[in-house]
Amino acid sequence: MNNAFWQGKRVLLTGHTGFKGSWLSLWLQQLGAEVHGYALPPPTQPSLYELAKVAGDVHHHGGDLRDLPRLQAVFAEVQPQLVLHLAAQPLVRDSYRDPIGTYTSNLNGTLHVLEAVRQQGGVRSLVLVTTDKVYANREWLWPYREDEPLGGHDPYSSSKACCELLAQSYAASFFNPARYGEHGLALATARAGNVLGGGDFARDRLIPDCLAAWQAGQPVVLRHPQAVRPWQHVLEPLAGYLLLAERLYNEGPALAGAWNFGPAEQDMRPVGEVVSQLAQAWPACPGVQQQPSDLHEAGLLRLDSTRAHRLLGWQPRWSLSQCLQATMAWHQAWQGGEDVRAVCLTQLAAYREAACPN
């Protein structure tokens, strides 16, 4: 990543009040970008956005992605050069509770971002963040590559697969490489693994559920301890998004399309093993209980990130063990009343200085 590239760049970031969006806002500010955020209020209480005082780094534009006129007005005001679309309803179990809200937020929201970009013009680089769950999961041992069939059993996964199809349609219909000189946009989608890190307070996510239960002196309840997921620290895919956005800006549609940003092979581990590692760092851990769920969740999911390794030079920097250590350190610092913003910036600096493993 070329840090100088981001100096003064006008960036519109959707979902900046969320977990990943807050970390990315802090990073963009450190890079010297002019960051404009479009989002609803923070989705949790407490929230990383408020604890880390992210609002001081971002020109905040409150709004719902389903409100196209509002979004278009923000695009006209900001005149962004790069757009990073992270805003979404991101939880599988919430998608079962509210499928209509999930589809309208994720599908219509992405459609409105694409349409605002198309009508406004001037955007050189657009990264749409989806998920590792967009693949038609066959529960096989092999990691999924970007050209595997799309699918999605639950409403969340399905809605994100639909977003991928939307992106493909707009790229072919309005941002075709043959017309690159006319519109000037390069579009890509980014599919990350299961992210961990300090400041995630969402329910029905593994690490927040563990820490909340143990903090209350109760055992954590696991639904699928044998399920295998591609675990990674939140800073890993964010580094991929930034690198991809920069390269799209500089090199155009040659790097368009879908990109996986997943962990190293050895860090795609079962849920129960991840919890065991985390429990070792918790004094007098209250333990773990198992309670199977009747809602479908994938049992085996792995990503192949070869394309990002070879064409972008992106590599994961932190192992699963380092990821869990950083997450626990953040949580303990927050519980101890430390300056959360300072903790975030310290961890961000440590990540940026870490060498990629050979």
Side-chain angles (χ1 to χ4, degrees):
M1 190 186 308
N2 177 9
N3 294 345
F5 165 83
W6 293 93
Q7 287 287 329
K9 287 291 192 303
R10 293 187 307 280
V11 180
L12 181 60
L13 169 62
T14 72
H16 66 289
T17 59
F19 166 56
K20 290 173 76 173
S22 293
W23 275 104
L24 187 52
S25 297
L26 290 172
W27 199 335
L28 284 165
Q29 187 274 334
Q30 290 286 295
L31 292 171
E34 179 186 319
V35 188
H36 293 262
Y38 184 91
L40 293 169
T44 63
Q45 190 56 243
S47 71
L48 179 61
Y49 182 76
E50 293 171 336
L51 291 174
K53 301 179 178 61
V54 177
D57 302 316
V58 179
H59 300 279
H60 173 74
H61 305 270
D64 192 318
L65 284 174
R66 291 169 289 192
D67 184 349
L68 179 57
R70 169 64 179 154
L71 183 63
Q72 290 172 318
V74 171
F75 265 81
E77 176 186 346
V78 174
Q79 299 284 316
Q81 298 166 285
L82 301 98
V83 175
L84 296 158
H85 173 45
L86 275 67
Q89 192 298 96
L91 302 174
V92 170
R93 291 177 70 82
D94 274 2
S95 76
Y96 283 114
R97 301 182 186 105
D98 182 14
I100 293 177
T102 298
Y103 277 105
T104 57
S105 293
N106 296 351
L107 190 54
N108 290 0
T110 299
L111 176 60
H112 289 170
V113 169
L114 287 164
E115 185 62 12
V117 168
R118 183 181 77 87
Q119 294 186 10
Q120 177 63 40
V123 177
R124 286 274 299 275
S125 173
L126 171 57
V127 176
L128 302 179
V129 175
T130 59
T131 175
D132 57 350
K133 298 175 181 62
V134 298
Y135 296 104
N137 195 325
R138 303 178 186 179
E139 302 286 347
W140 59 17
L141 295 175
W142 298 276
Y144 291 94
R145 297 172 297 182
E146 290 88 348
D147 58 357
E148 304 282 358
L150 299 173
H153 184 285
D154 58 87
Y156 167 72
S157 302
S158 172
S159 72
K160 285 296 195 174
C162 290
C163 292
E164 292 277 352
L165 294 175
L166 267 179
Q168 292 175 16
S169 174
Y170 263 72
S173 300
F174 307 114
F175 313 133
N176 191 294
R179 300 171 58 199
Y180 179 67
E182 175 184 339
H183 200 286
L185 173 77
L187 163 64
T189 60
R191 306 164 181 175
N194 284 46
V195 296
L196 311 175
D200 187 0
F201 295 101
R203 64 179 179 178
D204 296 328
R205 278 192 180 146
L206 182 62
I207 303 304
D209 284 354
C210 287
L211 299 180
W214 295 342
Q215 189 70 38
Q218 300 173 352
V220 67
V221 177
L222 300 183
R223 300 184 300 271
H224 302 283
Q226 302 306 317
V228 175
R229 297 286 185 271
W231 309 102
Q232 58 189 157
H233 194 274
V234 63
L235 295 177
E236 301 280 21
L238 296 187
Y241 304 163
L242 289 171
L243 180 58
L244 177 58
E246 176 187 327
R247 294 283 297 276
L248 288 170
Y249 186 98
N250 288 329
E251 300 175 41
L255 294 175
W259 296 84
N260 285 341
F261 294 102
E265 175 70 22
Q266 64 269 22
D267 290 331
M268 303 184 202
R269 310 303 303 167
V271 167
E273 183 178 321
V274 173
V275 174
S276 295
Q277 287 191 42
L278 194 68
Q280 294 174 9
W282 190 276
C285 177
V288 177
Q289 293 181 353
Q290 184 174 349
Q291 182 178 326
S293 170
D294 57 353
L295 297 179
H296 176 272
E297 293 187 52
L300 180 60
L301 180 58
R302 300 161 68 200
L303 290 180
D304 184 327
S305 303
T306 302
R307 187 182 188 216
H309 299 336
R310 292 182 177 177
L311 299 184
L312 297 180
W314 175 88
Q315 295 279 353
R317 297 188 176 202
W318 281 353
S319 66
L320 176 59
S321 176
Q322 290 172 302
C323 166
L324 293 174
Q325 289 172 8
T327 302
M328 182 64 77
W330 189 100
H331 184 81
Q332 291 173 337
W334 168 58
Q335 288 292 316
E338 294 185 31
D339 184 334
V340 167
R341 180 183 178 85
V343 173
C344 289
L345 294 180
T346 297
Q347 291 195 345
L348 177 56
Y351 175 83
R352 293 176 64 184
E353 293 169 3
C356 294
N358 295 325

